[in-house]
Amino acid sequence: MNTLIPGTNRTPTVSFQNGNLAISGRSYMENSVEFYAPIKKLVDEYDGPINVEIGLDFFNTSSSKCLMDLLTLIDKKCVSGLECKIRWSYKADDEDMKDSAEEFRDVLRHVTVELEEIDD
């Protein structure tokens, strides 16, 4: 079950391969629900451990909701005994993204969320 969705100037690059989900770039499309629905379905149907790498530069409010839904789904999978991990990278000078990542981390209860500050 390998999927690659190339990014655009408004949509992130998404890769899902063998339980490794990577989301990077910018996420501010008009219909976030439509964009994230197939990704959520892939994750929901996957039965193994899931590792998530997030490296977003920007996301809008509707993307935030979809990301939270996706990460909450992964959080629930951890309850059932699957090992899952999320690593959220943000640029050192991007306080807004750091704050957003911390807010997501604080909501998720069962999955390990690591925040990683990276240099530009």
Side-chain angles (χ1 to χ4, degrees):
M1 183 182 312
N2 296 331
T3 300
L4 175 63
I5 302 170
T8 69
N9 62 342
R10 298 180 69 88
T11 63
T13 299
V14 178
S15 169
F16 188 71
Q17 297 181 3
N18 302 318
N20 296 304
L21 174 63
I23 303 171
S24 62
R26 301 173 66 80
S27 183
Y28 64 103
M29 67 290 293
E30 287 187 29
N31 193 339
S32 300
V33 172
E34 183 179 309
F35 180 84
Y36 282 99
I39 301 161
K40 189 174 174 185
K41 183 177 183 208
L42 284 171
V43 168
D44 191 38
E45 293 174 351
Y46 189 75
D47 290 331
I50 297 176
N51 292 304
V52 182
E53 299 276 340
I54 298 176
L56 292 169
D57 298 326
F58 177 81
F59 58 87
N60 63 6
T61 304
S62 64
S63 292
S64 175
K65 168 75 169 104
C66 292
L67 285 167
M68 182 56 77
D69 290 347
L70 177 64
L71 298 181
T72 299
L73 173 64
I74 293 168
D75 193 53
K76 288 178 183 175
K77 285 181 163 282
C78 291
V79 174
S80 68
L82 289 179
E83 289 187 35
C84 303
K85 183 173 79 171
I86 299 169
R87 188 169 77 201
W88 194 308
S89 302
Y90 59 90
K91 293 180 183 174
D93 63 349
D94 192 345
E95 284 295 318
D96 290 336
M97 190 59 68
K98 178 183 177 186
D99 291 344
S100 294
E102 288 172 345
E103 289 174 15
F104 276 77
R105 180 190 62 197
D106 292 345
V107 170
L108 302 169
R109 298 286 176 226
H110 306 286
V111 64
T112 300
V113 180
E114 298 174 358
L115 305 184
E116 179 184 25
E117 183 176 292
I118 57 173
D119 294 325
D120 291 340

